[in-house]
Structure formats: structure tokens, C-alpha cells
Amino acid sequence: MSFACQRDSYQTQLSSEVVSCSPVQLKVTRQKQTITGHEVVCQDSVLFPEGGGQNSDQGQLNGWPVLQVSRKGLQAVHFVADSPGFSVGEVVQQEVDWTRRFDHMQQHTGQHLISALFESQLEINTTSWWMAENNGDKVGVSYIELDQPNITKEQLQQIEDQCNQAIREHLDVRVHVYEDAHDPALTVAHTRGLPDDLAGPVRVVNIGSLDSNMCCGTHVKNLSELQAIKLLSVDKGKKSKSLLNFVVGNRVLKYLNNGFQREQALTQILKGGIDDHIDLVGKYVKNVKIAQKTLQNVLKELAVMEANVINQQNDRKFVLVHKKDGDSDYMNTFLHEMINKDLFVCIAVGDETQGPCQLAIVGQEDIVQDLGPRLIKILGGKGGGKGHRINGRIPSFKSWPNVVKEVEAYFSD
């Protein structure tokens, strides 16, 4: 059998009888939480269950939120969150989140069109595809896995132009259901991503004369409803394949709007128009590199000066240095300039807000190996070493005062 959502992708409501209802818990990876609810199976479903590369619908069942729909054999299983449950035989009202449904229809039909043109025009086959989810203002960018290691910019532009030409020609998209899976007519249809346990009739989606493809998903009736297709980029895939990133329909407009918002923000930051952004960023990057190099040289000079001051203090038993603006060059320069190699030195550099900081402990071997690990433990870090030096990485300096106390107590004995 086919579901109501497959018989009519534009149907948004359906009354159907409950066949089973079981309490379950759903783990939501994105929110890192577990949601309590019920798995509800009805005689029919207007909500599409995940399959064929297409994500599931969401919606409501008697007003309770349906967060996920999965397919088990010939049944659509609805995960209904926070509901009190439903009685077998009870007639419930299903309602689709139409905004999500239509977005999925645009992406799925767009994928069929892109794959068909890559195959017919460039003889590059599609091996699989993945539909991304929108996340707030962030546009979901889906991808098609193509059986070709390299896709040129010229090929990308050619297929994009032909996709949008097909949209302007407003070709019809028709669905035909074959009750017999061995119908000879199916030999001309392709299959991409059909579930392995598919049972029942076979649906074939036809885009004019461009494509005939076996598919269980929901689709638009006419290519004009896609509005536009944008092929964004190509990433390297596995086993000599390519991943083609794309957006269709309303996602193109959202992607364009997000880009425009970023351009406006950059215009304010860079104090220059859109056409000057690249040049201005290039100049800023160059200036930052010069400033970083200058700072690095200054820090080395400072390390030499500070080490020389300590070298003149012959009565010192230990040295503790915490330089937030320092780096590994500062630390190594400081240690290199120290004349008394047996003097106990604990030096830490880095800004904890930017990530783990570096630590070095040097001096007499017995003291370094005895006191060093204790100091690293106090700071909550990790590290080790042999002989006269121990290196470590620490997450923060909030316990640095305790390090000072520990060292002072150790050398006061």
C-alpha cells in the first residue's frame, strides 16, 4: 500500500484510526536530550515517514506534536511527544507541518532534476544523496554523491543553467504507481535510495521527458514550484566520488538573504562597500600578520630582558612566570637565556580564553620530577617529561595562586 502523503503530496490533514500505541523514549541528538512520548501507528498517514533520502515530516496528531515518523514495513510509526497516549480504534486527526513538507518537496524534486541532468548531459551517475535540515536561520545545504572524482566549475555551471531552464519551461512532475513490481515499464526507471525493505506497489516519478525515477518521497507537481536551483560547491567524497552541495526553492532565497545580511555587517566592520570587501580583508590580514610578527619580536626581547634581570639575582631559589600574552617562542627564549640551569623555573604562557595554555618546568632533575607533576595536577593539566624538563598543557590559570603557595612551601623547608 502507499500512504496518503504519497498519493497526494499536497494533502495536509487526515482522519485515521489508531492501530497501536506504545510508550517510548526518543533520543534527540541535536538537542542532546531524551523525550518521552508514544509510538503511534494508524491505518494511514498523511505524514511522510523518513525514506529514500528524504527526511520525515513533522506535524500534529490530535494537537500533540509529532516529531518524527519512521517506516516499518507497510506501517508509518509516528513519535508523538508528551501525549497521554491513544486507544486502539480511536480516530485521530493528523496534520502536516506544511512549511517543512513543501521545503522537502522542493529539495527532493530538485535532487531528481539535478541527478537526471548530470546523467543525461555528462554521463555522471548519482549513487546517493542526503537532505540537510534547516536550523533556525541557518540554511540546510543538501548534497548529492556523484560517481565521479572531479567536477569542474564549467560542468557545475552547465548543469545549474539547464536546471533553471527546465524550471522556466515549467515541466510537469507526475507520479505513477505500479502495482506489479515486475511490470516491464519499470525497466526504464532508475532507483536511487529506495529502502531495502520496500514492500508493496512501486512509485515512479517522471519529470517531463527528462527523468523517470523510482521513488517513495513527496514531490511538487510542476518544476515551476522549485523557483530556482543553486549548485554551491563540490567536496571530495569517498572512493573516487564527489559530493555536490545544493539548495532549492525557498532555501535559495534564504541563502541569498543570509549572504546579504553578512555583506551588510562586513560593510559596517570594514568601513567599505561590498565591491571592496576582498581587498579590505586582504589588507587587514596583511596588517595582522605584520602586527603578530612585531609582537613576537617584542616578546622575545622582553624574555631576554626579564631573564637577564633574574640572572643578576644570585640568591633566588625559584622563578615563577605567568605571561598571558606570551607564546612558545617567549617561553623558550626565556629559558634559553637563563644562566643557572639548576634554578627551578616554572613558566606558563597563553590566554585560557583562546584554548589550552603551555607550561614548562626546568631545573635540577630530582626537584623537577618531584615538584613538577604536583604543579601540573594543581592546575588541572596534563604533561610529563624526563630529566631536567617537564612540559604540560593546562586549561586555565585559576589555580595559579595555589601553585605559588606550593612552590614557596617547598623551597621554605
Side-chain angles (χ1 to χ4, degrees):
M1 62 168 284
S2 59
F3 300 115
C5 56
Q6 295 172 311
R7 296 190 296 272
D8 182 2
S9 297
Y10 293 81
Q11 185 177 348
T12 59
Q13 295 183 341
L14 177 72
S15 296
S16 185
E17 188 175 308
V18 174
V19 174
S20 66
C21 179
S22 305
V24 293
Q25 290 187 328
L26 177 68
K27 291 184 178 180
V28 183
T29 304
R30 183 180 295 174
Q31 283 80 24
K32 296 182 179 180
Q33 62 181 6
T34 300
I35 301 175
T36 301
H38 289 82
E39 284 188 343
V40 182
V41 176
C42 300
Q43 288 185 344
D44 199 355
S45 180
V46 76
L47 285 86
F48 177 76
E50 182 177 7
Q54 181 175 327
N55 300 330
S56 77
D57 280 337
Q58 293 180 354
Q60 294 183 342
L61 199 155
N62 274 7
W64 296 98
V66 177
L67 302 185
Q68 178 178 292
V69 188
S70 58
R71 186 180 59 82
K72 293 183 180 179
L74 298 177
Q75 294 181 325
V77 182
H78 310 77
F79 177 81
V80 186
D82 304 323
S83 71
F86 304 91
S87 303
V88 174
E90 178 182 355
V91 176
V92 294
Q93 182 72 14
Q94 303 172 7
E95 185 171 352
V96 174
D97 178 341
W98 173 248
T99 300
R100 176 184 173 91
R101 158 70 68 79
F102 187 66
D103 171 63
H104 288 183
M105 289 162 62
Q106 286 185 320
Q107 308 316 306
H108 201 163
T109 304
Q111 177 268 315
H112 277 227
L113 178 59
I114 297 167
S115 293
L117 289 172
F118 263 101
E119 182 177 337
S120 64
Q121 301 302 309
L122 301 176
E123 297 183 349
I124 299 176
N125 295 325
T126 290
T127 51
S128 67
W129 82 291
W130 174 76
M131 179 187 289
E133 294 274 16
N134 288 324
N135 185 12
D137 292 333
K138 185 177 180 180
V139 178
V141 177
S142 305
Y143 69 75
I144 298 170
E145 184 183 68
L146 298 171
D147 194 17
Q148 176 79 15
N150 299 301
I151 307 295
T152 67
K153 292 182 179 180
E154 292 75 19
Q155 289 174 322
L156 209 62
Q157 190 62 56
Q158 174 188 342
I159 299 303
E160 179 182 298
D161 290 343
Q162 291 178 342
C163 283
N164 288 295
Q165 178 59 34
I167 292 173
R168 288 190 291 271
E169 292 174 358
H170 51 83
L171 300 179
D172 286 332
V173 180
R174 301 184 185 277
V175 176
H176 188 84
V177 179
Y178 293 88
E179 298 298 332
D180 183 3
H182 301 287
D183 192 308
L186 292 174
T187 59
V188 300
H190 298 83
T191 175
R192 304 185 190 102
L194 283 177
D196 294 334
D197 60 345
L198 179 67
V202 177
R203 299 170 73 246
V204 175
V205 177
N206 298 291
I207 302 178
S209 61
L210 291 179
D211 189 40
S212 181
N213 192 352
M214 286 185 276
C215 182
C216 62
T218 57
H219 293 272
V220 300
K221 291 181 178 179
N222 189 282
L223 289 189
S224 62
E225 295 181 78
L226 299 186
Q227 300 170 281
I229 288 178
K230 181 60 184 175
L231 306 185
L232 298 171
S233 61
V234 178
D235 297 326
K236 184 178 180 180
K238 298 179 180 180
K239 298 180 180 179
S240 299
K241 292 179 171 58
S242 297
L243 303 179
L244 170 63
N245 301 301
F246 72 97
V247 287
V248 182
N250 290 332
R251 294 195 188 189
V252 176
L253 297 177
K254 290 182 179 179
Y255 196 88
L256 177 62
N257 183 65
N258 287 351
F260 177 67
Q261 296 296 331
R262 284 191 293 269
E263 285 182 343
Q264 285 189 314
L266 282 172
T267 296
Q268 294 297 318
I269 295 171
L270 299 174
K271 307 299 181 184
I274 294 173
D275 294 336
D276 298 323
H277 283 180
I278 294 177
D279 290 338
L280 289 171
V281 169
K283 291 178 182 178
Y284 276 115
V285 170
K286 183 179 179 180
N287 290 337
V288 166
K289 289 181 178 179
I290 293 173
Q292 288 175 334
K293 185 64 177 179
T294 301
L295 176 61
Q296 190 177 48
N297 293 333
V298 170
L299 284 171
K300 286 183 179 180
E301 293 175 2
L302 180 62
V304 172
M305 293 174 57
E306 292 179 340
N308 287 335
V309 171
I310 293 173
N311 287 332
Q312 298 173 20
Q313 301 171 358
N314 297 323
D315 58 340
R316 296 195 66 141
K317 296 180 179 180
F318 62 86
V319 176
L320 297 176
V321 179
H322 168 208
K323 185 70 67 176
K324 182 177 181 180
D325 297 326
D327 57 12
S328 59
D329 285 336
Y330 168 87
M331 182 169 64
N332 291 327
T333 300
F334 182 92
L335 295 175
H336 180 267
E337 294 296 321
M338 294 296 299
I339 295 176
N340 184 1
K341 301 302 181 183
D342 288 332
L343 179 64
F344 182 86
V345 179
C346 177
I347 180 170
V349 297
D351 184 350
E352 60 194 69
T353 63
Q354 304 298 320
C357 303
Q358 299 180 64
L359 176 77
I361 300 171
V362 302
Q364 294 182 23
E365 181 175 351
D366 56 337
I367 299 177
V368 168
Q369 295 302 322
D370 178 31
L371 183 56
R374 288 152 56 182
L375 301 183
I376 292 176
K377 184 177 180 180
I378 290 173
L379 292 169
K382 295 181 179 180
K386 298 180 180 179
H388 297 270
R389 178 164 177 162
I390 289 178
N391 295 313
R393 293 173 68 84
I394 54 178
S396 74
F397 291 108
K398 64 181 180 181
S399 298
W400 185 257
N402 295 331
V403 167
V404 175
K405 292 179 181 178
E406 182 74 16
V407 174
E408 289 177 342
Y410 186 92
F411 284 98
S412 66
D413 296 338

